[in-house]
């Protein structure tokens, strides 16, 4: 795990009811949990986390199935192990283990959907919630058109099942990650090459590819 992008952040391995969650912590002040999206890790916050750490105790984690966090097997037909409720429970337990009974949450993409869950399940623990770059799934599927399908084809691809997305992504994870990420900055600041390399490293794990597909099946 490269420390270049997050100097001053300490690394923690936190047990969340049997699931090991990779975390980075820095700063002093009110606790703030930042949750990443797909296909990233906690490193996605590297430009803003050091700034936030001047005012907050910033906690960055890899969601279960991602980064250096555990990727538990899922034998149940409904893949409840990768429900947003299960993923959110990890994060709630991480913050409790770190000594924070009440905290703010910021989530991007899938991290936003995970962050929404503890606000519902543990309202006394979540002091504030910010969700970035999401709209309700029911709305998107109910109003999907050609434009949406072309922009978000990966939602349907990752949820295809039968090992299809795992096999195709696994053939060249670097190509998949880079093309997905490069399509998302739309002429803005490109992703840092060190961060990109970290995303590729983590999604090159077949267990991570499989976990991310199971999570999309749960979204569907």
């Amino acid at each position: 795990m490269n420390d270049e992008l997050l100097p001053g952040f300490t690394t923690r391995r936190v047990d969340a009811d049997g699931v090991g969650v990779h975390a980075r912590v820095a700063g002093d002040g009110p606790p703030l949990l930042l949750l990443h999206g797909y296909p990233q890790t906690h490193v996605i916050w590297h430009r803003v986390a050091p700034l936030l750490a001047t005012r907050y105790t910033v906690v960055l984690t890899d969601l279960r199935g991602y980064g250096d966090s555990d990727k538990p097997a899922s034998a149940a037909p409904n893949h409840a192990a990768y429900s947003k409720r299960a993923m959110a429970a990890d994060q709630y337990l991480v913050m409790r283990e770190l000594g924070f009974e009440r905290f703010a949450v910021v989530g991007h993409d899938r991290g936003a959907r995970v962050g929404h869950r503890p606000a519902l399940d543990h309202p006394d623990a979540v002091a504030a919630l910010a969700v970035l770059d999401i709209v309700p799934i029911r709305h998107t599927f109910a109003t999907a058109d050609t434009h949406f399908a072309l922009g978000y084809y990966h939602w349907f691809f990752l949820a295809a099942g039968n090992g299809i997305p795992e096999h195709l992504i696994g053939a060249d994870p670097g190509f998949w990650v880079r093309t997905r990420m490069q399509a998302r900055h739309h002429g803005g600041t490109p992703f840092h090459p060190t961060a990109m390399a970290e995303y590729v490293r983590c999604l090159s794990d077949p267990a991570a590819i499989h976990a991310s597909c199971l999570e999309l099946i749960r979204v569907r």
Side-chain angles (χ1 to χ4, degrees), residues 130-218:
V131 296
L132 311 178
D133 295 340
I134 63 167
V135 293
I137 290 290
R138 288 182 180 179
H139 172 77
T140 56
F141 282 159
T143 60
D145 56 13
T146 302
H147 178 74
F148 175 85
L150 290 174
Y152 288 85
Y153 70 90
H154 61 290
W155 282 18
F156 307 96
F157 169 64
L158 293 172
N162 297 316
I164 294 170
E166 290 94 333
H167 179 79
L168 295 177
I169 295 171
D172 192 347
F175 175 80
W176 172 255
V177 171
R178 291 187 179 94
T179 53
R180 285 303 311 149
M181 298 293 289
Q182 289 166 359
R184 298 176 73 169
H185 66 76
H186 298 294
T189 303
F191 291 95
H192 194 290
T194 302
M196 187 75 81
E198 182 70 1
Y199 307 145
V200 172
R201 176 186 74 83
C202 291
L203 204 68
S204 294
D205 180 351
I209 298 173
H210 184 55
S212 67
C213 293
L214 295 180
E215 190 199 346
L216 251 293
I217 291 172
R218 286 292 304 184

Side-chain angles (χ1 to χ4, degrees), residues 100-114:
F100 305 123
E101 295 190 1
R102 188 166 170 80
F103 51 91
V105 182
V106 176
H108 167 255
D109 186 50
R110 295 197 192 180
R113 301 187 191 284
V114 173

Side-chain angles (χ1 to χ4, degrees), residues 44-149:
I44 193 66
W45 302 106
H46 71 90
R47 296 186 190 275
V48 298
L51 300 176
L52 291 169
T54 64
R55 298 178 55 192
Y56 301 94
T57 300
V58 176
V59 179
L60 312 174
T61 62
D62 292 335
L63 300 171
R64 74 158 64 186
Y66 289 84
D68 291 310
S69 289
D70 283 353
K71 300 155 185 71
S74 176
N78 67 353
H79 300 300
Y82 287 94
S83 67
K84 298 303 183 289
R85 173 166 279 150
M87 298 173 81
D90 294 342
Q91 303 303 316
Y92 170 75
L93 292 173
V94 165
M95 295 303 279
R96 300 270 301 187
E97 183 67 23
L98 294 175
F100 305 123
E101 295 190 1
R102 188 166 170 80
F103 51 91
V105 182
V106 176
H108 167 255
D109 186 50
R110 295 197 192 180
R113 301 187 191 284
V114 173
H116 183 241
R117 194 69 248 178
L120 295 174
D121 292 345
H122 305 285
D124 292 340
V126 178
L129 171 67
V131 296
L132 311 178
D133 295 340
I134 63 167
V135 293
I137 290 290
R138 288 182 180 179
H139 172 77
T140 56
F141 282 159
T143 60
D145 56 13
T146 302
H147 178 74
F148 175 85

